[in-house]
Amino acid sequence: MKTLTVIGGRELSGEVRIHGSKNAALPILFSSLLFSEAVEIANLPAITDVGAALALLSSLGVKVTKTGRDSILLDPSSARPAVCDPAVTGSLRGSLYLLGAAAGRLGELSLPHPGGCNFGARPIDLHLDVLRTMGLAISESERGVSVRGRPRGALFRFPAVSVGATVNAILAAVLAEGRTVLTGAAREPHVLDLIAFLRLAGARISTPSPGTVVIDGVPRLHGITYRVCPDMIEAGTYLLFAMAAGGSVTLRSAAPEQLAPILPLFSGMGARIGVGVDALSVFRKGRLRPVRVETAPYPGFPTDLQPQLTALACLADGESVICDPIFPTRFGYVSELRKAGAKIDAANGRALVAGGAKLTGAEMIAPDLRAGAALTLAALAGEGESTLARYDLIERGYADFCKTLGSLGARVRISDGVA
Ligand code: UD1
């Protein structure tokens, strides 16, 4: 198990190259199962979740060939239903996307339980409801979920916005017979990137209004090369790091328009943000102001930046209120932040952050990916040495994390700790 050591209290300055989006890359990779020809995916982030997705695809007979530094060729011509390794599906929430993709092409799959970040209940009823509405037979057991049959077009209204269930429905619908109309669907940039990718490969998908996706099934998808869109959560995380540590940071290869809905919130806290074509720059002017925010599906404030924002709010002058109705139990990291001096009360999906804390070095344990980033933020802003165990969880979703922080002037190192 790896540990990140941070000696805090240094400003960050310099440039960060934003990698391809984890949340776009995973559904795009799994959708290779739907193809009749090989497909090349570029701008893939070097994160362990991508490695896990590729391992699962290999186990289903997809031939994976590296074609460049961050690109691979996926040849699904020999794909067949097979037993997936429960240790891998258990590490990756995105493995759920195999249900929609496999149903679309292979006609059956038994999937051991999907895992992913452990921040409370993560039901899958909406995934199963929409797939059942498309005519698929689903069975659940203590070992996992099985899907069987050929999807048919259907009308489905999501009672709550779900990124994962929207993706699964799109994957099942692409090769289905007939038209599928989804309403109340997610419209996160990573969902739109999946749609753009599938359309380029010949899928007939339109989004006539926000939250509505219409998919007319096609007989086949043809091979293309596609670059995954930039990672908005990675970009948002580095913006928040720069706001916490001070200094001036520029993000390159970013997609500022993805973050546009939440930039006013950062500016309101005291960030000065410059926006270019594919770049963002940030520096903090003066003290940070407190914030009141509630997570919501896009274009709302993303639940994936909630922990990092809560950590930042510890440094603001005054009390902040941060609510996460999407995942009300996603505050498990607060007890770790308190070790660094944070004054936070969290209950019932709401954190009250006292602000004005003088953060100091602490021995912390990352409970999950984004919470790990939040604890790193506290360590960067705090005085003295912090250690962050379970650094491997951060590697699930941030490529070159330690190296990037080092290049910005942070004093950081990774060591192999005791498991
Ligand atoms: C969610 C986030 C996504 C983030 C990911 C990882 C939203 C809308 N989704 O995606 O941005 O990248 O976590 O942190 O911000 N739900 C059900 N039944 C289901 C599926 C979901 O009740 O079958 C509920 C969830 O409990 C949650 C909400 O719907 O309250 C949104 O969940 P969903 O978008 O499906 O989660 P992820 O796909 O994991």
Side-chain angles (χ1 to χ4, degrees):
M1 199 186 296
K2 292 180 191 170
T3 295
L4 179 72
T5 301
V6 180
I7 299 174
R10 287 169 72 106
E11 288 194 345
L12 300 181
S13 67
E15 292 192 357
V16 175
R17 189 185 75 80
I18 296 302
H19 299 87
S21 158
K22 167 177 106 69
N23 291 337
L26 297 179
I28 286 174
L29 289 174
F30 286 125
S31 71
S32 65
L33 278 176
L34 298 169
F35 281 67
S36 309
E37 299 167 356
V39 57
E40 187 180 35
I41 315 296
N43 202 28
L44 274 178
I47 53 176
T48 52
D49 270 15
V50 163
L54 295 178
L56 286 174
L57 287 168
S58 295
S59 70
L60 293 172
V62 176
K63 194 169 166 227
V64 180
T65 314
K66 201 165 165 55
T67 51
R69 190 174 50 86
D70 60 7
S71 57
I72 51 152
L73 191 71
L74 298 166
D75 179 355
S77 50
S78 306
R80 74 272 179 272
V83 182
C84 294
D85 182 349
V88 184
T89 60
S91 75
L92 186 67
R93 178 79 181 172
S95 58
L96 256 183
Y97 300 147
L98 282 172
L99 288 180
R105 175 82 189 292
L106 307 176
E108 61 173 311
L109 188 75
S110 292
L111 188 70
H113 285 296
C117 281
N118 178 21
F119 42 66
R122 297 183 78 179
I124 62 167
D125 56 313
L126 298 176
H127 296 249
L128 305 189
D129 284 354
V130 68
L131 295 177
R132 280 197 186 101
T133 306
M134 297 178 78
L136 296 165
I138 309 270
S139 54
E140 286 186 273
S141 71
E142 71 271 10
R143 287 211 308 274
V145 193
S146 299
V147 61
R148 184 180 293 272
R150 293 285 171 193
R152 289 189 306 271
L155 304 182
F156 190 85
R157 169 157 191 84
F158 288 100
V161 176
S162 163
V163 169
T166 300
V167 166
N168 249 331
I170 292 171
L171 296 181
V174 163
L175 300 182
E177 197 186 309
R179 169 172 282 198
T180 300
V181 180
L182 308 172
T183 51
R187 49 192 173 116
E188 268 63 7
H190 33 282
V191 175
L192 300 187
D193 201 46
L194 170 70
I195 291 174
F197 162 69
L198 292 169
R199 282 170 56 127
L200 203 63
R204 288 181 56 204
I205 310 180
S206 61
T207 49
S209 60
T212 301
V213 185
V214 179
I215 307 123
D216 287 298
V218 294
R220 62 195 299 278
L221 297 179
H222 54 79
I224 52 167
T225 294
Y226 190 79
R227 276 185 72 78
V228 173
C229 73
D231 195 313
M232 131 180 157
I233 302 301
E234 185 191 29
T237 300
Y238 285 113
L239 287 181
L240 292 168
F241 283 179
M243 288 171 69
S248 173
V249 170
T250 299
L251 311 181
R252 300 268 176 218
S253 309
E257 69 282 2
Q258 298 175 338
L259 285 163
I262 61 170
L263 293 180
L265 184 132
F266 294 168
S267 306
M269 289 183 79
R272 289 288 173 272
I273 296 177
V275 176
V277 178
D278 63 357
L280 283 160
S281 60
V282 61
F283 79 97
R284 187 181 85 200
K285 191 150 184 295
R287 302 280 306 164
L288 287 169
R289 289 183 284 276
V291 68
R292 283 182 171 261
V293 70
E294 186 169 300
T295 63
Y298 196 84
F301 191 83
T303 177
D304 275 356
L305 287 176
Q306 177 268 108
Q308 303 89 312
L309 184 72
T310 304
L312 181 73
C314 296
L315 306 167
D317 283 337
E319 187 180 80
S320 294
V321 184
I322 296 168
C323 301
D324 194 346
I326 296 179
F327 293 118
T329 50
R330 199 175 190 171
F331 289 98
Y333 60 89
V334 159
S335 53
E336 296 299 308
L337 269 184
R338 285 204 198 103
K339 293 181 186 169
K343 297 191 189 71
I344 310 179
D345 282 323
N348 306 320
R350 190 168 83 134
L352 294 180
V353 186
K358 171 137 181 47
L359 298 181
T360 51
E363 286 178 22
M364 299 179 281
I365 304 170
D368 63 65
L369 164 62
R370 307 301 174 188
L375 300 178
T376 305
L377 181 150
L380 290 168
E383 285 297 329
E385 180 174 303
S386 292
T387 54
L388 185 52
R390 297 293 327 259
Y391 176 72
D392 49 301
L393 289 173
I394 293 179
E395 291 180 312
R396 285 191 45 206
Y398 292 96
D400 299 329
F401 187 70
C402 183
K403 199 167 126 197
T404 303
L405 289 175
S407 74
L408 293 175
R411 289 175 67 194
V412 280
R413 67 168 194 279
I414 303 169
S415 51
D416 279 320
V418 181

